Structures are given as structure tokens and as C-alpha cells.
Amino acid sequence: MYFPYLRGRQFELIAIRELVEKSLLSDAIIPVIEPVKLSSALTKTMSIFEKSNRELGLVSNPLVGSMRKDLADKKNAKNKERFHELLKSPNLLTVLYVDANIAKTCSTVQSRGTNKTAIATICSNQDAIPYFESVFTSECPRFNFIPDESVFRRRLPKQKILFEDRFLKKNRNVDYADRVDEPFSSDHIYYLQDGYIGFSDFSIIGDDYTETGFAPYAVVIHIVYFDVDNNLRIWHFVSETNDDITDPAGKFSEALEKLVQWNKTQKLDTYGIRTFEEMYNSRKYPGLGTVKKLSIMHHIELMGRYLDGVAAQ
């Protein structure tokens, strides 16, 4: 099982929503959303998963963003009401970060009718381990996301999901030009062999979170692909005219040209890649949010094909 972990920003939500709507999300994949704000995009995505009878993980105690503040704001009453309705969906997987409040948080979840054996937990640091052990004594959660470190594997051996950030984030977009092709992950090959029942990562976004965006000097399109041994690699297609922040459409065109020419040999064929190629032919600039959305969609669709192929063997 693959659990792509995404923050609940608009284009990340649209990415998984469109995968479901286009029937491109493998049954071997359960996306996990850490909601960073209460928005119509969030409730719409939750609704699409519910109507499509697809499982969606939702972090109930997010670490970043304004979700808790938004839920307390009276101006968000309509969205809040819809959000709480959707929390009752049987297709929603409750995900909890384990911290000093985990016992209280689990009690709240159980009071809503969800057994603690049906939830997923995230132990992101060693301090979480004793808190986890104090709550899950004879029972264990359905999934437990842990880093790939020996102390976690030894003390939390059951139902474990490998959870790592595989995206090597650069300080500036132009820095990706220093190494355009690099390894991404082999978790999909070895997770079962290593004793995990699934694996999770932050796709082509990475774990870093900022509240606001910025106008970049360079435009980059991040595309994952399999090498001859089925290891996942990532290619960074970087624009050329990167001296200032002007003309993002021109910068996108430069990066897109590189992607299209590269794919003549690679021959990747996913919805995301086909859409990039259509944009190249029509000379269309969709905006940087859509570029991110398509790269995420490509990654998740590609991973789903791999997992479906392994299951069919």
C-alpha cells in the first residue's frame, strides 16, 4: 500500500480529487491529507472520496497551518458544518500525530464512534514512542507511520508504515539545475521485505511547509520515473532565463520544452504527462499551481500502476 502524504493546499487537493474523478487512483493507494486550512476545496475533496467510495486519510491534529483556528472562527460556520458532516463518512481514515495528548485525543475519537484499532497514528519522533506505548498496550492502530529507524522498528513492530520524505528540497529552484537527474526512492520495492505493510512520502513537494508562496526566479517541473531496475528517480526540468522573476510563462515554456523532448525517449504516458504535452502543443501557461498538481498526479498514477502490476504477478 502507498500513502501519499499531502498538505491540504488547493492544488494538492485538486490533484487527488481529479485522480478519483478520472478513475486513475489505484485501490492500492490511500492518500493522506494534513488539512492546513478549512476550505471549500477540502470539503469538496472529502465529498468526492465519499461519493466514490474511496478511502481518504485525514489528520485530525495537524501540526501546521490554520485549521484549528479556522474551525473556531464563526465566519466559517457553513464550511465547518459541512466539514463535520463529512467527518462521519465511513470512508474517512482518522490519522493522529502521537504526542503527550494522544490518550485524550483517542478518547475524543472513540466518543465519536471510531475504535482506536481503526485509526492510523504517526510517530514522527522518538518522544512519541512512550506516549504510543501507554495508549496502545494490548491493541494497536490499523496503521502506524514511523521513520525508517531502528529504534522505531524495534519498539513499534506492528502495522508499521514506512514514512520518509524522499524529496531533496533545494533552497532555490535554480539550484535543481546542478543535478537534474537523481534517485528518489526504492521504498516500493523493499517495504514488504523490510517488514512494513505500506510506505508513505511527501511526493514531489517535500515536508517543508510555508504559508505563502513567492514568485520564483526559475520554474521547475519535477517528474518521477522508473529506471531499468524499477527504482524511482526524479528529473528536474529547469527554465533557462532565471535572472529575475519576470515572465513566468516564458520560464514554464523553457522547462516544458525540456520535458517534452526528454519524454520522446522515456515515453511516459500518464494523464499528467499527456496534459503537459498538450500544453506544449497549444503554448498554454496554466499557472504554477497546476504545474504542481500535474506532477503530483503523474507520481501517484505511476506508483499505482507499479503496485497494481506487482499485485497481478
Side-chain angles (χ1 to χ4, degrees), residues 6 20 43 49 64 67 73 101 135 146 161 208 213 258 306:
L6 302 169
V20 170
T43 55
F49 272 77
V64 297
M67 186 65 180
D73 192 333
N101 298 313
V135 171
I146 64 171
I161 305 296
D208 288 347
K258 294 180 180 181
Y306 172 86

Side-chain angles (χ1 to χ4, degrees), residues 148-161:
D148 190 23
E149 298 175 16
S150 57
V151 64
F152 291 91
R153 293 193 300 269
R154 291 167 183 161
R155 294 181 63 176
L156 308 173
K158 297 180 180 179
Q159 299 301 107
K160 59 183 185 287
I161 305 296

Side-chain angles (χ1 to χ4, degrees), residues 120-159:
T121 50
I122 302 175
C123 292
S124 57
N125 58 69
Q126 290 190 36
D127 288 338
I129 296 176
Y131 297 128
F132 178 94
E133 292 173 330
S134 68
V135 171
F136 297 94
T137 50
S138 59
E139 300 175 311
C140 65
R142 181 181 169 195
F143 305 118
N144 186 24
F145 291 66
I146 64 171
D148 190 23
E149 298 175 16
S150 57
V151 64
F152 291 91
R153 293 193 300 269
R154 291 167 183 161
R155 294 181 63 176
L156 308 173
K158 297 180 180 179
Q159 299 301 107

Side-chain angles (χ1 to χ4, degrees), residues 95 108 116 166 244 274:
V95 183
T108 300
K116 66 181 181 181
R166 298 304 186 189
D244 55 42
R274 291 194 300 272

Side-chain angles (χ1 to χ4, degrees), residues 92-269:
L92 199 67
L93 170 65
T94 298
V95 183
L96 300 175
Y97 272 98
V98 177
D99 57 19
N101 298 313
I102 187 62
K104 181 179 179 181
T105 308
C106 274
S107 295
T108 300
V109 169
Q110 288 178 296
S111 70
R112 297 171 183 163
T114 300
N115 193 286
K116 66 181 181 181
T117 59
I119 68 172
T121 50
I122 302 175
C123 292
S124 57
N125 58 69
Q126 290 190 36
D127 288 338
I129 296 176
Y131 297 128
F132 178 94
E133 292 173 330
S134 68
V135 171
F136 297 94
T137 50
S138 59
E139 300 175 311
C140 65
R142 181 181 169 195
F143 305 118
N144 186 24
F145 291 66
I146 64 171
D148 190 23
E149 298 175 16
S150 57
V151 64
F152 291 91
R153 293 193 300 269
R154 291 167 183 161
R155 294 181 63 176
L156 308 173
K158 297 180 180 179
Q159 299 301 107
K160 59 183 185 287
I161 305 296
L162 172 59
F163 187 29
E164 290 285 350
D165 182 6
R166 298 304 186 189
F167 184 74
L168 299 177
K169 185 78 171 178
K170 306 292 185 183
N171 291 327
R172 305 174 303 163
N173 279 356
V174 70
D175 293 336
Y176 291 105
D178 295 337
R179 190 180 182 189
V180 296
D181 179 26
E182 58 187 351
F184 185 80
S185 177
S186 57
D187 293 340
H188 54 286
I189 301 175
Y190 300 110
Y191 74 97
L192 289 172
Q193 178 181 319
D194 291 342
Y196 297 93
I197 61 173
F199 61 99
S200 178
D201 58 40
F202 292 84
S203 187
I204 53 88
I205 303 299
D207 186 19
D208 288 347
Y209 175 77
T210 55
E211 291 284 352
T212 58
F214 58 93
Y217 278 71
V219 168
V220 189
I221 306 172
H222 307 287
I223 297 296
V224 296
Y225 70 99
F226 291 115
D227 66 15
V228 293
D229 297 316
N230 280 330
N231 296 295
L232 203 61
R233 298 184 65 86
I234 186 166
W235 199 292
H236 312 288
F237 300 94
V238 186
S239 57
E240 291 292 329
T241 54
N242 304 322
D243 295 329
D244 55 42
I245 63 173
T246 62
D247 193 19
K251 297 177 191 293
F252 169 70
S253 179
E254 293 169 350
L256 186 59
E257 168 80 24
K258 294 180 180 181
L259 166 57
V260 170
Q261 296 305 319
W262 174 82
N263 199 47
K264 288 181 178 179
T265 301
Q266 196 67 32
K267 300 187 184 304
L268 294 172
D269 183 27

Side-chain angles (χ1 to χ4, degrees), residues 22-42:
K22 299 178 187 301
S23 299
L24 296 174
L25 185 66
S26 165
D27 289 339
I29 295 177
I30 301 175
V32 175
I33 293 296
E34 180 179 357
V36 295
K37 64 185 298 186
L38 180 61
S39 66
S40 57
L42 174 62

